Amino acid sequence: MPPKRKKDVVIRSEDVGIEIDAQEDSGSEEEARRRARNRRAKPSPRRAKRPVSDDEDEEEEEEEPPRRKGRRGKAKVQDSDEEEEEEEKKGRKKKPVKASNRKKKAVKEESEEEEEESAEERGKNKKRGKAPSKKEKEEQNKVKKSGKDKGSEKNKRKNSGKFSRCSILSSGSGSDSDSLSEGEMELLKEEVEEKKKLITTLRNKPWRMKRRLQQLKEAQAFVEKFEGALGKGKGRKLYAYKVMMAKKLIKFKRDFENFKTACIPWERKIKEVESHFGSSVASYFIFLRWMYGLNLVLFGFMFGLVVMPEVLMGLPYGSIPRKTVPRPLQETAMDLSVLLDFGGFMKYSVLFYGYYNDERTIGVLQFRLPLSYLLVGVGIFGYSLMVVIRTMARNANEGGDGTDEGDFNFSWKMFTSWDYLIGNPETADNKFASITTSFKESIVDEQENQKDENIHLRRFLRVLANFFILCTLGGSGYLIYFVVKRSQEFAEIDQDNLSWFEKNEVEFVMSLLGLVCPPLFETIAELEEYHPRIALKWQLGRIFALFLGNLYTFLFALFDEVNAKLENEKSIKNATITAYNEYYSNYSSFYNTTDVPPLDIQPADAIRGPCWETAVGIEFVKLTVSDIQVTYLTILIGDFLRAVLVRFLNYCWCWDLEAGFPSYGEFDISGNVLGLIFNQGMIWMGAFYAPGLVGLNVLRLLSSMYYQCWAVMSCNVPHERVFKASRSNNFYMALLLLVLFLSLLPVVYTIMTLSPSFDCGPFSGREKMYEIVMETIEKDLPAFIGNIFTYATNPGLILPAVLLMVLALYYLNALSKGYQQANLDLKKKMQMTRDEEKNRRNNKDSTNQVMKDLDDLLPNRSLIPPPEEEEPPPPVAQKGSKSPKLKPGSAANGKGVNLQKEVSLAATNPRGVVNRPPGPRGGPPGNIRGPQPGPGRGRGRGGPSSKAIGFIRGC
Amino acid sequence: MGSRASTLLREEEIEEIKKETGFSHSQITRLYSRFSSLDKGENGTLSREDFQRIPELAINPLGDRIINAFFPESEDQVNFRGFMRTLAHFRPIEDNEKNKDHTASEPLNSRTNKLLFAFRLYDLDRDDKISRDELLQVLRMMVGVNISDEQLGSIADRTIQEADQNGDSSISFNEFIKVLEKVDVEQKMSIRFLH
């Protein structure tokens, strides 16, 4: 606050001070009595004892509710002047007390002098502003008085000097339209006044500089904020407006938060699943949702930058060979079976690579479609990589802080699990289920922690289990290898002689392995007796290895096919060129002219190559579709049908189906998660060859969300051992990252090494796909960028860059290790402090005395006005109020600190509180355990200092 | 200011409640109208049945305990003053209250009092200790029959073991405070009363 304003404030309070006197003169008899009583009551805290003769006052006070700090403050201030006189008369009862009191008084006088000075200084221009306001005040005063006359005894009491001052300051207080109620206004005013006083007298306070500065800052900020409430007319309105806006803003923020929560898709669904099946199952659905979000973005890229431009601005269907179904196939092109196989019109549609034209720019916008195609294809990987890594990093951060909450795991669940705002019975059911589940999770965790059996046996079993699993993996690998070899042999034989099984042997074996191996792994994993959470990870890892083998076998088979196609294409290309040349030479020799008209062939009749990219795309799309089918059918048959059978056949069956053998299915987390991850791998790999695949995947994830949610809620039962998913599902993410990397490899390989088809796709006619970038740099960008690019690709530059990156990596790694170490140390320290504290509490009787002594040694303790700790009422005061909560046991237990706390806590009865002298009272009860001054000496010092505050406090 | 309500509620009474609880004038009148709408018997007091009609309390496993908290010992009616006194525990701690309470008595909505309120919910026999049996009762209310008694017992044991510091195998209020030290009670045990 600028000094000018400060002075302004001072003047105003001075000004008001006059009014107080006038007001006090008009005080009723009642008031005088009160004052007298107060005079008597006041010294009591200093004596640390309440005189017994104050009985009548007690009675009187008991009549009124006591908890009003504002009023108490007022009362105190009211008599503070008299008190001073009184003290003079009474002489010195307690010397140290008196001394400090004196000091305060001196301080106060000094500040008053200052105030006067400043008032005189600025008198002139202030007076002009003051005059009208004074009138106003008087008017209001009158109003107030008239209102007061009607008021009851309590109102009269309030109209003691300080109160009237307050109400004067707030013009028209108590009017209904105010955004602040009267009570709040008063409190606020009191506060502001207090702060202002503090600001003016701060210089004289015997505090440390740091503390002073802090206090000053706080006070100034406060006054700045709330001063408007004291102003009149414009200031007040502005303040009211501000308060209103602040409230509106808070409400808006709250609504916005709610809105944001409501906008999270499927939050309710997932919560419902979580409450019944535990966090591990829910983690799958959260992962699914995350995946959906990612795919939506990828779809946006693909659709907005590749598909839409081609559809809108590219050549229409049927204009060029690559966009036309060949004539022999046209008859069956619309057959459903062909379409379902992604042949016919589907093959020559915008969904696949081959449809795109190689024109450098299309449409009026000069959109560079081939470049865009390549960039989007690579950008999808870049974006996914970024998102996955960012999510992993965030998860790692989140996981970091949750480690130390294990202290009161059960207690927290016990005391804080119910959500008291639930009003809907269904939600309540969910909450019940989720509390139960979370308890079960904790029990499992706990059991795992307490387990200690034969460690050698366990180790042996684990080694054995891993051996079995390695055997299984090896066996399945060999089986796939064998089948692929056989299929290559079959490929050389005529296709017509092969049976259906022989044709589809590879797929069949793969599906069989995928179906049989995971349960086998699970059975073997029983041997290991890991915690379910860890077992899930092992299971995931093993199935992952299996799937990976399948995937890469598939890829190698695909590459064989691609290479064959490339050979085939070369011959077709040569044949086409020869045919053209023949046509040209024949034409020119026949008509004897060099002006040869271009060959007029219908696009449907053109000779075309095999277009391996589209073929690969179709493979991926087919695979994805078959994956969807298998997944959905498995759920339908394996879960739904089973559940239906178990449910209804149970009425007429010889054993209990529900509890016995088939039972209901459990939700297979590991299988589903891995299915999702591998599916995503397919999408990443296939998206480059089939832009429509991303859209298909979005549909799949969307339907899968609803379908699986329904299936899990209706047909599955929770796992026998519900366990809590690790807070960060970074394991899923790590698998995803690996798959992303693995799917990146083949795509990048094809972009960099294989030559694109000569007659289809956006890169046709170029030697390599990436040449489109070079072309753009050369033709479309200014020359110097090309130069820069040439320099940048120079090995002399790249090598140092790589070196630099390696160095940075090393440095950052070292740094993070250092932080980790520091983190660990800090944790240890915290634990140690906690233990220490616990020890201290356990034998506090012995330490308490020491603490007290230490307390006495603190020099400026008595001068710090707000005692942080809770000050108990003096024991004698407790006589009046009953304290039934104080049990002998607890009293004996904590004679020192504990006793006080218990007493003060027990005094919920408001009447009991009234009896307390207006000494220092509990501030924020945060630091309850902190050292507290003993009742004797501590109190003796507490009294005057608090009085001083009361004095400073003003209104 | 709530003309309908204030005809029934005398100004002095409002003032007293204001002092006692720290609610603002408009909040009191608003809560009074709520009070009277709950009061089906229209006799100026609320009975346990009146509270049980509130859906949030009806489905709450600890609902009975909360309702009990409204009633002073061995009474089954609560008047508006008592009603407000209990509600005052849930008044949010405002910014300007945090640093000004040095001279006043501890308000009902202080952290300690909020915690004490919560503590009493679990302390069924009001002996200022949460015993194993009390925990078991509460647990049974919260999870029903879904967990076996044995497991419930072990949960209760674990809870006490975690929280107990002086080895009397029950949780005292101090220990309760210690357990919930890191919980943001000020915020969680606050209701946004409309102004």
Side-chain angles (χ1 to χ4, degrees), chain A residues 773-784:
Chain A
V773 181
M774 306 294 182
E775 213 179 282
T776 312
I777 290 170
E778 274 168 27
K779 289 187 183 166
D780 295 336
L781 294 177
F784 72 94

Side-chain angles (χ1 to χ4, degrees), chain A residues 179-193:
Chain A
S179 59
L180 280 172
S181 75
E182 198 181 325
E184 281 169 316
M185 285 295 297
E186 273 168 43
L187 289 178
L188 209 60
K189 247 167 271 149
E190 198 179 303
E191 190 89 343
V192 169
E193 282 298 304

Side-chain angles (χ1 to χ4, degrees), chain A residues 67-69 158 176 191 254 410-412 414 420 432 446 841 870 898 905 921-922 925 929, chain B residues 1 15 19 60 62 100-106 112 122 135 142 158 162 165 174 179 181 192:
Chain A
R67 294 244 160 183
R68 206 21 203 235
K69 45 212 150 144
K158 260 202 205 148
D176 296 357
E191 190 89 343
R254 211 160 59 213
F410 276 94
S411 310
W412 281 26
M414 185 95 185
Y420 287 81
F432 270 121
E446 212 46 44
R841 283 160 60 87
E870 185 155 331
N898 233 10
L905 287 172
R921 238 16 110 88
R929 277 172 294 104
Chain B
M1 197 178 284
E15 282 303 323
K19 276 173 215 148
N60 193 330
L62 298 173
K100 72 178 288 188
D101 288 347
H102 309 308
T103 52
S105 71
E106 199 173 310
T112 318
Y122 296 93
L135 274 187
M142 285 204 320
R158 274 289 301 179
E162 272 172 6
Q165 284 171 340
N174 289 333
V179 166
E181 200 174 32
R192 295 185 298 254

